[in-house]
Amino acid sequence: MSHTDAPPLQPAGPSESGGDERLLHRSLARRLMGRPELGSVVGAAAVFLFFSIAAEPFLRASSLSTVLYASSTIGIMAVPVALLMIGGEFDLSAGVMVVSSALISSMFSYQMTANTWVGVGVSLLVTLAIGAFNGTLLTRTKLPSFIITLGTFFMLTGLNLGFTKLISGTVSTKTIADMEGFESARTLFASHLTLGSVDIQVTILWWLALVAVATWILLRTRVGNWIFAVGGNADAARAVGVPVTKTKIGLYMGVAFAAWVSGQHLLFSYDAIQSGDGVGNEFLYIIAAAVGGCLMTGGFGSAIGAAVGAFIFGMASKGIVYAQWNPDWYKFFLGAMLLLATLLNAWVRKRAEEKA
Amino acid sequence: MGAVLAAALGASLAGCSSTGGLRAEQERAAKAAGGKAAVNTPRWTFAMVTHSGDGDTFWDIVQNGAQQAAVKDNIKFVYGHDKEAQRQSQLVQSYIDQKVDGLIVSLAKPNAMKDVVAKARKAGIPVITVNSGAEESKAFGALSHIGQDETVAGEAVGEELNKRDRKKALCVLHEQGNVGHEQRCDGAEKTFKGDLQKLYVEGTNMPDVQSSIESKLQSDSAIDAVVTLGAPFAPTAVKAREQAGSKAEIDTFDLNAQVATGLKDGTLGFAVDQQPYLQGYEAIDLLWLYKYNSDVLGGGKPVLTGPQVITKKDAAALQEYTKRGTR
C-alpha cells in the first residue's frame, strides 16, 4: 500500500512522452501484479480451459448458467466471509446460520399465519442479531474466533433442530407456498430470468451485487482501510484510532446479512426446509475465499478473489459431472482440482511479487 | 429485544396471511386418536437406538410410529441416535446400564454393533433390529428384524421403470458410502432393462443437489427417468428438470407431504415407500408381545415393511397422513 519509490517530480513534456508511457505502463502492470485475485483468475482460467476440453457439454450456455448458479450459492457467502478473513477472523457458524435464517422466516410466517414478508423481516432482524452476538462476544471476551463461532455453530445446529421439532412436530418445516407474499418473495430471492436461451438465476445477480458493494467498501471507503488494518495488526490499528470493536462486529453482521440472503433463497426455492441442513458448508465459503487469495492470517485478500474462488469451486464440482467421470472418485477429483488451482494461484502470485 | 419482538408481533398481526399457515392447518386438522393405554401390563421401558443423523425426516416417522405404539402398550419409550457407529454402540451400552426392558436397534454398521447386542442378550434384554441389518439380525441373537430389503426395494423400482417404458435412468445418491443406498441403486439396475447411471450429491446442501442433477441432465439428454433415494430430494430434482429443460420423469424412494402433493399433481411419477411408521410401531408391539406372551414373529426371517409402490391414485389418500407425520 505504500509505494514511495516513484519520483515525486516528473518532467512532463512532449519530448519525454516515450519514457512517460513506459513508466505509466509499468506502474499499471505492477498494480495488477499486486492484486490478490490475480493468481485465482489464472487458476480459474486453467480450470475453465480444462473442462472446456474434457467435457463436451461444459461450454453450452445452459451448462454455464448451471455452473454460475452453483458458484453463486457459495459465492454469496464467500464475499462477507472473505471480508471477515481479511479482518483476521473466522466464522464457523456461517453454514448453519443460512439454514437458521430460512427456518426462522418459514416458521414465523407459518405459526403466526402472517404474510411471508413479515417472516422474512423477522428473520433479517434475528439473523443480524446472531451476527452481532458473534462479534460482540468475540471482542468482549478476546477469545479466538474459532472457539466463539464453534460454540455458535453447535448452538445453532441444536436450536434449528430443537425449535423445528418443537414447533412443527417434524424435522422439516411445513410448506408455506400457499401463503400470501410467497410469490413476490420468491421473485426476489429465487426466481430466474431468461436472456435469450440463457437462464439467469437471481442468486447470480445477488452475488454480483454483493461483490460490487464489498469491493467498493474495501477499496474506496474508510471502513475498507479499517478492515485491512484490524486484520493486519489489531493493536496497531487501535493505536491509530481505528474502531476495532465496531469493525469486527460489523464484519460478523455482514456475514449474517449474506446468510439471510442465502437462507431466503433456500426457503423460497425449496419451500420446505430440512432442519439438519447446512452443516459443513461453512468450509466451502472459507475454501472459496482462501482459493481466491485471502490469507488465512488476515490483512490481505479481496472480494473479487473470493468470487473467483467460488467460481473455481462451482466449475470443478459441476465440470466433473459434465465430464461423466466415475462418481466413486468424485471427491478425489474435486480435492485435486482445488489443490491444483490453489497451487497455481500461489505460484503466480509469487512470480508476480518477485517481478514487482 | 422486547421492543423488536413487540414490533414484529404487531407487524405480523397487521400482515396476516389469509391463506395457508398454522391457522389453516388447525382448521382442517382432524385430531388423531387420543393417547391412552389399551392394556394394563406393567409399565416397561423400551429403548430405541438408531443410526439417524440430526433432523432426519425418515427416522422422525419411525419414532412417531414407536411412540404411538408405546402409548397403546403402556410402554415408556426412550430414543437415542447417532450416525457414528461407535457412538451409537455407546448409546446402546448406556441403555443396557440403565437395565431397560427391551431394545430396538438399527444395524447400519453391523460390525460395530455386534458386541453390544451380545451384551444386551447376556443381560437378558430382548433385542429387535429395525431398518438395516436383515442379514446379521439373527446371527447377533435378535428376536426379529423389521425393515425393508433395500435390494428388493431397488428391484421394485427397476420393474416399475420398465412398466413405464423408461430407457435411461439416473440414480441420485445423497450420501456417499451408505451401503443401503448402493443396494437400492444396484437393485434397480438388476431389474431395469434400460441403462442406469449413478450420481452422487451432497445431501446437506440442496442447491448443490439441484445444480448437480441439472448438469447431469444437461450433459445427457437421453435420460428419461431420475430416481432420488430420499423424499426431500424429489422436489429438488423436479426443479433441476425444469431448469435443464429435460422431460425426464422424477421418481423417488420414501414419502413426505411434498412428494404426496407431487404425485397427486403429476410432477412426480411414483414413490417406493418402506413405511417407516410400521418399523417403529411394529418393533414396540413385537417387544411387548414377547414380554407379555413370548410371541416371536418372522421365525428368524426378516419381516418386510416394504416396498410399497405409490402412484397418483394412492396419493390423495396419503396426503393427509404425510402432513401429520405418520406416512
Side-chain angles (χ1 to χ4, degrees):
Chain A
M1 288 284 116
S2 55
H3 289 284
T4 46
D5 46 7
L9 281 172
Q10 273 189 13
S15 59
E16 296 272 319
S17 70
D20 257 8
E21 253 178 47
R22 205 155 46 91
L23 261 177
L24 196 73
H25 179 74
R26 227 165 114 197
S27 78
L28 185 78
R30 187 183 295 176
R31 264 200 334 211
L32 203 68
M33 287 299 196
R35 299 290 315 147
E37 57 270 2
L38 173 75
S40 62
V41 170
V42 176
V47 174
F48 186 85
L49 201 68
F50 177 77
F51 280 115
S52 304
I53 297 163
E56 183 264 317
F58 187 74
L59 277 181
R60 286 183 211 152
S62 59
S63 310
L64 288 178
S65 85
T66 305
V67 167
L68 275 177
Y69 170 61
S71 311
S72 71
T73 55
I74 297 167
I76 287 175
M77 287 303 290
V79 168
V81 166
L83 258 54
L84 185 67
M85 276 168 74
I86 297 170
E89 304 293 347
F90 271 105
D91 190 348
L92 296 179
S93 67
V96 188
M97 204 193 293
V98 170
V99 177
S100 302
S101 178
L103 289 172
I104 294 164
S105 303
S106 169
M107 288 195 292
F108 192 90
S109 303
Y110 190 88
Q111 294 301 321
M112 298 293 165
T113 318
N115 187 301
T116 46
W117 282 101
V118 179
V120 170
V122 171
S123 167
L124 176 63
L125 292 178
V126 179
T127 314
L128 286 176
I130 299 170
F133 171 83
N134 270 338
T136 312
L137 211 59
L138 178 96
T139 46
R140 284 274 170 86
T141 60
K142 306 255 188 306
L143 285 170
S145 56
F146 185 86
I147 299 294
I148 301 280
T149 59
L150 190 67
T152 324
F153 161 79
F154 279 124
M155 289 196 295
L156 287 181
T157 314
L159 284 174
N160 283 357
L161 190 57
F163 266 123
T164 311
K165 191 78 205 265
L166 189 71
I167 293 173
S168 308
T170 61
V171 292
S172 66
T173 62
K174 304 262 161 82
T175 174
I176 59 162
D178 55 351
M179 295 182 68
E180 274 175 19
F182 186 86
E183 283 309 320
S184 54
R186 169 172 266 178
T187 309
L188 182 63
F189 292 111
S191 59
H192 48 93
L193 353 149
T194 318
L195 288 179
S197 63
V198 192
D199 222 24
I200 304 286
Q201 296 272 353
V202 75
T203 47
I204 298 172
L205 303 181
W206 275 102
W207 181 32
L208 294 179
L210 282 174
V211 173
V213 170
T215 305
W216 176 74
I217 289 176
L218 271 183
L219 299 182
R220 290 273 177 273
T221 69
R222 206 158 51 138
V223 177
N225 287 336
W226 291 349
I227 295 173
F228 279 108
V230 298
N233 185 337
D235 290 332
R238 189 177 279 115
V240 296
V242 171
V244 176
T245 308
K246 269 191 198 164
T247 308
K248 293 210 165 170
I249 294 176
L251 286 172
Y252 275 104
M253 289 177 77
V255 175
F257 176 79
W260 173 73
V261 174
S262 308
Q264 305 315 301
H265 170 66
L266 271 188
L267 173 60
F268 291 106
S269 189
Y270 303 114
D271 177 17
I273 298 294
Q274 303 288 314
S275 57
D277 277 6
V279 175
N281 290 354
E282 59 278 355
F283 288 109
L284 298 187
Y285 313 144
I286 294 171
I287 291 166
V291 169
C294 291
L295 285 190
M296 306 292 268
T297 46
F300 187 81
S302 73
I304 296 174
V308 177
F311 186 50
I312 291 180
F313 196 89
M315 281 193 293
S317 64
K318 296 301 156 263
I320 288 166
V321 181
Y322 287 120
Q324 309 224 328
W325 288 339
N326 183 343
D328 294 347
W329 298 87
Y330 171 80
K331 288 264 169 71
F332 174 80
F333 287 136
L334 191 60
M337 194 69 61
L338 287 173
L339 201 57
L340 283 175
T342 317
L343 283 175
L344 187 64
N345 172 354
W347 180 74
V348 170
R349 197 190 314 141
K350 206 168 148 233
R351 289 282 304 248
E353 276 162 6
E354 273 166 12
K355 271 198 189 145
Chain B
M1 201 61 204
V4 169
L5 255 180
L9 281 172
S12 78
L13 288 179
C16 271
S17 168
S18 57
T19 51
L22 180 67
R23 208 179 300 153
E25 183 191 271
Q26 283 169 344
E27 275 162 14
R28 70 176 163 242
K31 285 275 164 255
K36 256 171 66 189
V39 293
N40 58 0
T41 44
R43 191 161 174 79
W44 292 309
T45 301
F46 292 166
M48 181 187 247
V49 184
T50 72
H51 65 276
S52 160
D54 282 337
D56 188 309
T57 313
F58 179 90
W59 285 103
D60 202 47
I61 301 172
V62 175
Q63 219 182 314
N64 280 341
Q67 249 150 10
Q68 289 190 9
V71 169
K72 184 201 67 176
D73 292 342
N74 193 27
I75 298 295
K76 185 179 176 210
F77 173 69
V78 286
Y79 179 75
H81 67 97
D82 206 307
K83 62 180 176 189
E84 294 287 333
Q86 192 195 7
R87 289 199 297 262
Q88 193 198 348
S89 73
Q90 286 165 2
L91 272 171
V92 177
Q93 182 62 53
S94 73
Y95 285 122
I96 296 172
D97 298 341
Q98 291 170 40
K99 299 194 169 59
V100 293
D101 301 293
L103 261 173
I104 302 156
V105 294
S106 65
L107 304 179
K109 282 139 190 164
N111 292 332
M113 301 297 292
K114 189 175 181 178
D115 289 350
V116 81
V117 170
K119 271 185 199 163
R121 294 298 301 140
K122 217 173 186 180
I125 302 172
V127 179
I128 283 187
T129 58
V130 291
N131 184 254
S132 35
E135 262 119 71
E136 295 82 3
S137 177
K138 194 180 180 189
F140 286 10
L143 293 179
S144 313
H145 177 82
I146 302 156
Q148 163 180 263
D149 187 313
E150 301 292 9
T151 311
V152 172
E155 286 167 6
V157 167
E159 278 155 18
E160 187 67 24
L161 287 173
N162 290 338
K163 212 185 283 175
R164 286 161 182 265
D165 216 18
R166 300 287 138 179
K167 300 282 175 276
K168 190 162 193 183
L170 184 68
C171 198
V172 184
L173 299 96
H174 58 267
E175 239 180 76
Q176 200 155 13
N178 181 319
V179 182
H181 288 185
E182 299 285 345
Q183 286 171 340
R184 287 178 175 187
C185 289
D186 293 344
E189 196 169 15
K190 206 160 109 191
T191 51
F192 183 42
K193 292 200 186 84
D195 176 27
L196 186 125
Q197 293 192 357
K198 286 181 186 172
L199 177 72
Y200 293 95
V201 295
E202 288 290 335
T204 52
N205 187 348
M206 271 300 180
D208 179 76
V209 176
Q210 185 187 331
S211 51
S212 291
I213 299 175
E214 215 174 292
S215 35
K216 189 73 191 179
L217 288 176
Q218 283 162 349
S219 69
D220 192 347
S221 54
I223 293 172
D224 58 2
V226 176
V227 181
T228 57
L229 298 190
F233 304 100
T236 305
V238 170
K239 288 184 74 74
R241 168 181 66 186
E242 280 162 16
Q243 285 294 309
S246 156
K247 289 200 171 59
E249 176 182 274
I250 312 291
D251 307 308
T252 187
F253 281 84
D254 300 347
L255 198 62
N256 69 7
Q258 270 179 307
V259 168
T261 311
L263 287 171
K264 199 176 154 196
D265 62 26
T267 47
L268 297 175
F270 65 91
V272 178
D273 193 19
Q274 60 171 308
Q275 310 190 83
Y277 185 84
L278 264 186
Q279 295 182 2
Y281 191 94
E282 287 298 305
I284 293 282
D285 235 15
L286 292 186
L287 270 180
W288 180 83
L289 280 168
Y290 178 77
K291 296 286 282 189
Y292 174 69
N293 207 27
S294 259
D295 283 328
V296 176
L297 202 64
K301 293 249 165 56
V303 180
L304 298 186
T305 59
Q308 186 194 24
V309 176
I310 297 164
T311 56
K312 193 170 184 165
K313 64 177 172 25
D314 321 299
L318 293 183
Q319 217 177 3
E320 186 189 328
Y321 306 144
T322 57
K323 275 189 183 132
R324 69 179 191 199
T326 58
R327 274 308 291 262

